[in-house]
Structure formats: structure tokens, C-alpha cells
Amino acid sequence: MSSPSSLIEIVLVYFVTDKSHLDIFSNRPQPKKKRKSRTAFTNHQIFELEKRFLYQKYLSPADRDEIAASLGLSNAQVITWFQNRRAKQKRDIEELKKDFESVKVFSGHKSFLENVNDLSILKKKPLHPDAAVMGGLAAAAAAGMMPVVTAPPPPPPPLSNLSPQK
């Protein structure tokens, strides 16, 4: 009778020498045809296909034959293009839904424009500027912290000086 260790050695030798159990694709038949390479559609073909897709998401066999013949494509290419375009539209709609949901989450917070309006007080010129305040504002403006504040324009001339000429 064989010892357990010699039995393990026999099994190990079998697995080491017979590697057919490692090749999971060994029973698969080899592909007969090579895959067709990716079709590079011309700009004109894409334009016409997109134009048709705008108002017709699914094509009847007659419509498909007509488009394929007019654009110099096979029926399979037209079928595949419309399938891919519908899938792309579905992805785009899902992404827009997610974007919309994320905007709704932030709607409770102040909008960017509301925050800018709150800062509008910084843009207003003081009525009676003090030299120290003007110096501080000029330094802040130079540092890019706020817009440059200039001195108010000179007052208009008094109306008494403007008499009609005779």
C-alpha cells in the first residue's frame, strides 16, 4: 500500500506535467473570422445620421435601407450607429439628472450671486473719505482685495454763474 506522502507526490507530478487543466479556453473553437475594424464615419455621414436621430430614434427597415444607401454604409453600420447613439443619449440624460440633483442639494445655501451682492458694500465709495481710511482702502485695492477707490468727482459749477447771454 502506498504511503500518503507518495500519493501526494503522484498527484503533484500529474498536475505539474499535465497543464491542460490550466487552459480554460482549450475546448473553445478558434474564431473563424477576423473582427471588422472600427468604422471611421465622415463628417457628412455623422451630420446626416445626427440630423435623422433628432426626430427619429428608431428606424424602420425601409428607413435604414434608405439611409445606408444614401450615405454609402451597410445596414449593420446604421443599426450599430443608432444603437450606440441611443446609449449615449441615455448616459447623457442620467448625467444631467445627477447634476440637477446636486444643484438641488446646494439650493439651500446662498447662491454665488447672493454672496457677490453681500460684498457689494465694499464697492461703495465713502461719502466723506478720511485720509487714513482712503490710505487703507488704497492698500487693500493694491493687494487685490477690493476695487480701487478714487476720489469723488469735483462738484458742478454753481447755477448762478450760468446766466443767459444777451
Side-chain angles (χ1 to χ4, degrees):
M1 191 159 166
S2 305
S3 69
S5 64
S6 65
L7 190 56
I8 292 173
E9 289 173 7
I10 292 171
V11 170
L12 283 175
V13 168
Y14 172 76
F15 276 112
V16 169
T17 56
D18 180 24
K19 297 191 190 300
S20 65
H21 65 282
L22 296 176
D23 187 9
I24 59 174
F25 300 109
S26 61
N27 293 335
R28 246 187 211 177
Q30 295 300 320
K32 295 174 183 155
K33 273 204 239 177
K34 220 178 182 185
R35 266 186 79 164
K36 190 175 184 312
S37 63
R38 179 186 166 123
T39 301
F41 293 100
T42 66
N43 289 336
H44 173 70
Q45 289 169 332
I46 293 171
F47 176 78
E48 293 298 326
L49 290 165
E50 287 286 353
K51 190 167 69 172
R52 188 63 170 258
F53 185 78
L54 282 174
Y55 65 90
Q56 193 175 4
K57 306 296 184 245
Y58 293 88
L59 298 176
S60 68
D63 292 337
R64 193 172 53 235
D65 290 341
E66 174 207 333
I67 291 173
S70 69
L71 297 177
L73 299 170
S74 69
N75 278 347
Q77 287 173 314
V78 174
I79 290 170
T80 304
W81 189 92
F82 270 80
Q83 284 175 340
N84 290 341
R85 187 62 182 83
R86 286 190 299 269
K88 179 181 186 290
Q89 184 181 42
K90 185 178 178 182
R91 282 192 314 270
D92 292 347
I93 289 170
E94 291 301 318
E95 188 174 334
L96 284 173
K97 284 180 184 176
K98 286 180 187 173
D99 291 346
F100 181 73
E101 291 300 318
S102 67
V103 167
K104 282 174 38 176
V105 168
F106 291 115
S107 66
H109 303 290
K110 278 187 174 181
S111 72
F112 174 74
L113 291 176
E114 289 171 326
N115 287 328
V116 168
N117 286 335
D118 288 347
L119 297 175
S120 66
I121 193 166
L122 297 175
K123 297 177 186 173
K124 294 184 178 167
K125 299 176 186 175
L127 295 176
H128 303 290
D130 181 45
V133 173
M134 286 301 291
L137 291 175
M145 295 167 53
M146 61 182 299
V148 175
V149 178
T150 58
L159 294 176
S160 62
N161 292 346
L162 301 172
S163 59
Q165 302 264 336
K166 293 185 181 178

